[in-house]
Amino acid sequence: GQNIDQPTEMTATEGAIVQINCTYQTSGFNGLFWYQQHAGEAPTFLSYNVLDGLEEKGRFSSFLSRSKGYSYLLLKELQMKDSASYLCAVRDSNYQLIWGAGTKLIIKP
Amino acid sequence: IAGITQAPTSQILAAGRRMTLRCTQDMRHNAMYWYRQDLGLGLRLIHYSNTAGTTGKGEVPDGYSVSRANTDDFPLTLASAVPSQTSVYFCASSPTGEVTEAFFGQGTRLTVV
């Protein structure tokens, strides 16, 4: 079966750095996405990786290792507004998105 | 309309009733999707449409039907609602069927009692 694993919840301090991991086992791989979802709101796109390595976008970076079936989202200089759920999704061989359950990130002052 | 709009925002529905959730986008995206989101589970695909006039079944299609008469609209119908269909429903769209970035509507919170 297809499976996306990510931690259920993480806590970090304002101004710090946090890394959210995602491991996947899917039938084929055509890219990995990270989305942010604030409570009661729709998911919004953060990043996309299809090749191995690090993609940096401002305070957010995303890393991919296809051979290990592994990705992480790195958030720097954490702000209170970063409190949200972070969803990892993999596009499989049928070009459908398979979603993880999400990681709820709690930021403390 | 800007982006993708769902209606209603929330609904309480008696079991056995028929209900249509509406979804409209103005981005001229070819592909549209319906997901349900339940606590502790990832988004699960119900139905999708890669282009107007075509639809396909996702991971959890039972009890739901869709139509895609034109590019903009992608309604989701529950023929006879059951309590297990209590969920938050998200409609999404992307430029093509080969999913690039997906844009989501604000969601419909449905409670079946």
Side-chain angles (χ1 to χ4, degrees), chain B residues 25-37:
Chain B
Q25 54 105 356
D26 65 354
M27 298 175 283
R28 307 303 294 173
H29 285 171
N30 283 319
M32 297 187 74
Y33 313 87
W34 274 106
Y35 290 95
R36 59 178 290 173
Q37 187 175 41

Side-chain angles (χ1 to χ4, degrees), chain B:
Chain B
I1 296 176
I4 186 163
T5 302
Q6 294 181 231
T9 303
S10 65
Q11 181 76 45
I12 299 174
L13 184 68
R17 298 295 297 269
R18 180 184 180 90
M19 173 79 188
T20 295
L21 308 185
R22 300 185 297 279
C23 176
T24 300
Q25 54 105 356
D26 65 354
M27 298 175 283
R28 307 303 294 173
H29 285 171
N30 283 319
M32 297 187 74
Y33 313 87
W34 274 106
Y35 290 95
R36 59 178 290 173
Q37 187 175 41
D38 302 291
L39 194 64
L41 299 177
L43 288 161
R44 291 183 291 169
L45 183 65
I46 304 170
H47 286 285
Y48 66 93
S49 169
N50 286 334
T51 189
T54 69
T55 62
K57 293 182 179 180
E59 179 186 356
V60 288
D62 294 343
Y64 306 95
S65 62
V66 292
S67 62
R68 187 87 183 277
N70 57 61
T71 297
D72 298 344
D73 301 301
F74 191 44
L76 176 74
T77 297
L78 289 68
S80 178
V82 295
S84 62
Q85 292 178 310
T86 294
S87 187
V88 179
Y89 291 86
F90 285 102
C91 179
S93 71
S94 63
T96 69
E98 294 182 357
V99 178
T100 52
E101 176 183 346
F103 296 82
F104 284 80
Q106 78 274 28
T108 295
R109 183 174 296 275
L110 180 67
T111 302
V112 182
V113 297

Side-chain angles (χ1 to χ4, degrees), chain A residues 56-98:
Chain A
E56 297 186 81
K57 189 185 294 185
R59 293 189 299 114
F60 293 7
S61 302
S62 56
F63 171 83
L64 174 67
S65 169
R66 289 172 295 170
S67 63
K68 295 182 179 179
Y70 168 71
S71 173
Y72 68 72
L73 180 69
L74 192 70
L75 292 75
K76 302 176 185 177
E77 301 171 12
L78 285 170
Q79 302 175 9
M80 297 304 292
K81 67 179 182 179
D82 297 330
S83 292
S85 289
Y86 292 85
L87 313 181
C88 174
V90 172
R91 187 166 64 189
D92 69 8
S93 57
N94 294 319
Y95 287 87
Q96 296 300 332
L97 283 174
I98 310 300

